[in-house]
Amino acid sequence: MEWTDIQITVPHPYAETAEAIATMVSNGGIYIEDYSDLEEQAWEIAHVDLIEQELLDQPRDIVKVHMYLAPDENPAEILPLFKERLDAAGIPYELTTAGVEQEDWQNAWKKYYHAMDIGKRLAIVPGWEEYETDRMVITMDPGMAFGTGTHETTSLCLEVLDERVRGGERVLDIGTGSGILAIAALRLGAACAEGVDIDPMCVRTAGENALRNGVQDRFTVLVGDLSDKASGVYNIITANIVAAAILSLAPHVPALMAPGAVFVASGIIDTRKEEVLAGLRGAGLDPFEVREKRGWVCIVCRKKEG
């Protein structure tokens, strides 16, 4: 069945008004394209990923409101009403229409998310995509808890795990989000992993992703912070969060590191690299490897000797 997509493009300050008008006029679906704070939203719900450059390149100063009319609705009747209300609201706008299949608009966002290889052993694959590979597949869909692979901060961490997990490790993932880092470590051969996050929604999502990837029996996900949830010592500790959080937790990390352990800190914008390096050294850690990709930094540390 072909629906009609009425797209209204407005400057960002008028987005809420345009959405409200579309909601009043239409009985069908509403789909909003708003990329103004993409990175900020992604960090708030735990690390961007599986987002192609095409999406990151979208304009940030406009919003596109898609209003979908069902096949039995007449666009010739709806459009004049829509225009009248937009004009009455004094909104500058551009309006276009197109025919789409219902399935097309319900799944349009999926075009930005595809399978990708990371390192030498990993492949991150969305659940709706078939992907023939000899790599270790991690099935991960974008959702409320971000963490699916392509954002530089996460891919840098995954590359480190790909190189360093050899089998039998105990892993701690701080700010686990979608659980992708812990799940990847387990799929690569780690013996067990714990994920800690202050957001209950992330904890639930991480648990669901662990089940989906068959590692639920070896993955413990906990709501809370590092101070009251981590137990014992670990061979690999990951923290793909933000610079301020890394600096805050760093003093507690050395006590959690087993002999020969590494701490992988990511989510650091390059302008704060030196500040974070100094903070890690001051916390008793020895940063021995720094990886950078498109303005983001991942630092690998060992515990200082002596």
Side-chain angles (χ1 to χ4, degrees):
M1 294 187 300
E2 187 170 82
W3 289 48
T4 301
D5 174 10
I6 299 176
Q7 177 183 304
I8 172 70
T9 303
V10 299
H12 190 268
Y14 299 97
E16 290 187 5
T17 304
E19 181 182 354
I21 292 173
T23 302
M24 287 188 292
V25 171
S26 174
N27 293 320
I30 300 290
Y31 166 47
I32 310 296
E33 291 187 72
D34 180 358
Y35 308 103
S36 59
D37 57 352
L38 178 64
E39 290 84 0
E40 180 182 345
Q41 288 187 41
W43 280 118
E44 287 178 355
I45 43 185
H47 332 316
V48 188
D49 304 288
L50 268 188
I51 300 179
E52 291 189 347
Q53 193 62 40
E54 180 184 354
L55 182 59
L56 295 173
D57 290 341
Q58 291 288 334
R60 306 305 174 89
D61 58 344
I62 63 170
V63 172
K64 299 174 185 177
V65 179
H66 296 264
M67 182 174 69
Y68 295 97
L69 304 185
D72 60 352
E73 292 183 280
N74 186 353
E77 295 177 352
I78 301 296
L79 280 170
L81 177 59
F82 196 22
K83 290 180 179 179
E84 179 184 350
R85 295 198 175 188
L86 290 167
D87 290 336
I91 295 177
Y93 66 89
E94 295 181 7
L95 192 148
T96 60
T97 63
V100 294
E101 294 295 324
Q102 181 178 9
E103 184 178 352
D104 292 340
W105 69 260
Q106 287 179 329
N107 297 291
W109 56 274
K110 290 183 179 179
K111 68 182 180 181
Y112 296 112
Y113 302 84
H114 301 291
M116 64 174 299
D117 294 341
I118 293 182
K120 296 180 179 179
R121 294 187 285 167
L122 289 171
I124 312 300
V125 183
W128 61 83
E129 189 167 300
E130 295 292 332
Y131 191 60
E132 295 295 328
T133 181
D134 294 331
R135 289 170 171 261
M136 187 67 66
V137 171
I138 311 297
T139 302
M140 194 72 57
D141 292 346
M144 290 302 292
F146 271 104
T148 38
T150 64
H151 191 268
E152 289 78 5
T153 60
T154 308
S155 63
L156 286 166
C157 287
L158 289 170
E159 288 167 6
V160 174
L161 292 174
D162 179 65
E163 294 176 9
R164 294 192 168 272
V165 176
R166 289 291 174 260
E169 294 87 354
R170 187 169 190 241
V171 176
L172 172 65
D173 185 22
I174 304 167
T176 196
S178 69
I180 186 172
L181 299 183
I183 291 168
L186 291 167
R187 293 283 284 157
L188 289 167
C192 60
E194 295 176 14
V196 178
D197 204 295
I198 60 173
D199 188 340
M201 181 272 292
C202 290
V203 169
R204 182 174 64 253
T205 300
E208 292 170 353
N209 286 330
L211 179 64
R212 189 174 195 180
N213 286 277
V215 297
Q216 70 276 11
D217 293 339
R218 295 181 288 140
F219 187 24
T220 302
V221 199
L222 302 168
V223 178
D225 58 33
L226 178 65
S227 63
D228 64 351
K229 294 301 180 183
S231 61
V233 295
Y234 304 85
N235 307 107
I236 298 175
I237 301 173
T238 56
N240 184 20
I241 39 181
V242 292
I246 289 168
L247 290 171
S248 177
L249 68 86
H252 306 284
V253 170
L256 300 172
M257 299 175 72
V262 294
F263 172 50
V264 185
S266 192
I268 305 160
I269 197 164
D270 56 5
T271 55
R272 301 194 68 178
K273 178 177 72 172
E274 295 304 323
E275 176 190 359
V276 174
L277 284 169
L280 292 171
R281 293 186 183 105
L285 293 161
D286 173 22
F288 66 92
E289 182 180 350
V290 177
R291 302 186 181 205
E292 300 187 45
K293 187 183 295 185
R294 294 204 296 190
W296 296 96
V297 180
C298 175
I299 302 172
V300 186
C301 308
R302 58 172 69 95
K303 184 162 55 175
K304 283 184 180 178
E305 298 182 359

